[in-house]
Amino acid sequence: MTSDHDARGRSELSPPQARSTHGSRPNSRPNSRPTSRQNSPTRASSRPPGSRPVSWFVQTNSEYANMYENYGGTRSQDVSDAEDDHSHAERGTPRKPKSRAPSIIKPSNEKIATPGSNRPSMHPTFIKEDYATDDSSNSSVDEVEVPPVRGTVTPLKASFLLGKAFVGTGVLFLPKAFKNGGILFSCLCLAVVAVVCCVAFLMLVKVRLVIRESFQDIGKTLFGPYMRLAVLVSVFLSQVGFCCAYLIFVSQNIDAVVQTFTRCTFHGIQEKIYIFVPLVILIPLVLIRRMSILSLPSMLANLFIIFGIVYLWYFSIDSLATHGAGPDIQLFNSDDFALFIGTAVFSFEGIGLVIPITESMAEPEKFPRVLAMTISVVAFIFASVGALCYTAFGSNVQTIVVLNLPVTSGWTITVEILYSLAIILSVPLMLSPASKILENGIFNTKSGGLDTKVKMQKNVLRIALICACAVISFVVGGPNLDKFVSFVGSVACMPLCFIFPAMFHYKACAKTTKEKVLDIILGVVGILAMLFTLYITIRSWVVQASPDADLDRCSVFE
């Protein structure tokens, strides 16, 4: 098995490391493209003797989890410092503190192929480099041209990673969202959101070719520290919102399973109380800082989600063939259609992993085609689940669609249990960016690698964060889940998906009038859509919208 450093691959090598790696090969050209044998850390030749080969699926899940190392901020300080401390301890030398010199943005003569084109970009390319120097060193900082380091991920694996970033348990919220928007409006709106997200993601990739920094540091480079803070706040709110929505989902599923096994004879615990039950498992898991350890729970969660989606397809089609369409199917719901817009953006929010996936590709010039194909497939999955389930159940569709499935069916119980496990296993990975943002903001560069007090404080912070998510979920409650999902999509996801990429592309890449107009239109539409959907969502909380239809799940036991 490869180590965690190897699993992260060449995409996480710092520029000086990348140069030394290329320079260590004799007779190699400075700008030559590395071969797969030289560049791949996971080939059989690089594995220790006697080790078993890693399956493609397991390796891909490990790479997906490792991409969260830099999601929402810098790599976990405790992980990197612990590794540095361990290496210095083995040598018996103290670790010198590092100071960061100012970032440098300089023109590069390097020609980089723009996404979707085989021609090199004619725009000047700026490469931003950070340098870490020892305090004892008096060496000056030199400007050095750095060739981009290619990864090892194939287009197929990149498509799989993107699909994992988009398709999650949020797909179960879509049937109720289709009721809020109407089946025709929802299908059209979902297609529009998919296209706009694809364009915005490609804009961000182009910006990344100009400013080789993370999402939030691109904002700092272009607009100053307040923009970096805005990006981090949006990432924090989106990830916390995901976790809160998932905990509500788990509580309703647990209640449904308990009522099924007890034949509706147990009423000692309210449904909302079940929100706190998963904390028994989640608190130990959120203390894990090395993302590769969470790859196995993530892989199991993906298998459970796939199983649930397939069963929803089967049951909804069978129900339509046997019983016909459900009652009161609407093409357009003029009262609650704005709630669907927020939910659609919530479903497609995965922009934080676009840059890491692009960097990990061996052929990043193919990323636009991979992204377009993946989003098309994801949009089809979303539209099919939402439209089929809404058509099958009609106005009786629940916020969590698995509650519409037959109560006594063994398959239904299996789906409810597996989906609950999928969410519980997904929450630690989803919450890790928010935890890192808080830790970096409060502790700055302090590390828990050697300081036990700092480590304990960070652990308490992570426990407090997951408990706060549970309290928020308890306050929101199951009846307001669709409104909460729309609220998160409006406040946190729309800036990440629409507004920030348009602003960054306008300042860094837009050269022609057409490009500038497109950026302005995307940014303005994103702001208007955010304000409008936010207003409708808040109004639906104040003026109660139509609640979920009452389903007597216990009548079958009488």
Side-chain angles (χ1 to χ4, degrees), residues 24-47:
S24 63
R25 296 194 308 269
N27 303 325
S28 61
R29 295 189 302 271
N31 294 324
S32 62
R33 176 180 172 181
T35 63
S36 59
R37 179 178 298 273
Q38 295 165 332
N39 202 28
S40 175
T42 57
R43 292 183 61 89
S45 58
S46 63
R47 290 194 301 268

Side-chain angles (χ1 to χ4, degrees), residues 486-509:
S486 178
F487 177 82
V488 174
S490 302
V491 174
C493 300
M494 282 193 180
L496 291 173
C497 292
F498 301 153
I499 302 174
F500 294 151
M503 294 175 62
F504 297 169
H505 187 270
Y506 180 86
K507 191 163 185 178
C509 300

Side-chain angles (χ1 to χ4, degrees), residues 447-459:
S447 169
L450 291 178
D451 193 335
T452 305
K453 182 179 179 181
V454 173
K455 184 175 183 178
M456 294 303 296
Q457 290 174 341
K458 289 186 176 183
N459 288 342

Side-chain angles (χ1 to χ4, degrees), residues 193-210:
V193 170
V195 172
V196 174
C197 284
C198 185
V199 172
F201 295 167
L202 291 179
M203 284 183 175
L204 184 61
V205 171
K206 289 183 179 180
V207 174
R208 179 60 178 78
L209 293 176
V210 175

Side-chain angles (χ1 to χ4, degrees), residues 2-12 41-42 59 62-64 66-67 152-153 292:
T2 58
S3 65
D4 291 327
H5 281 299
D6 292 336
R8 281 189 289 273
R10 295 292 299 275
S11 61
E12 288 193 3
T42 57
Q59 179 186 346
S62 178
E63 292 176 353
Y64 176 79
N66 285 327
M67 287 180 182
T152 61
V153 173
S292 59

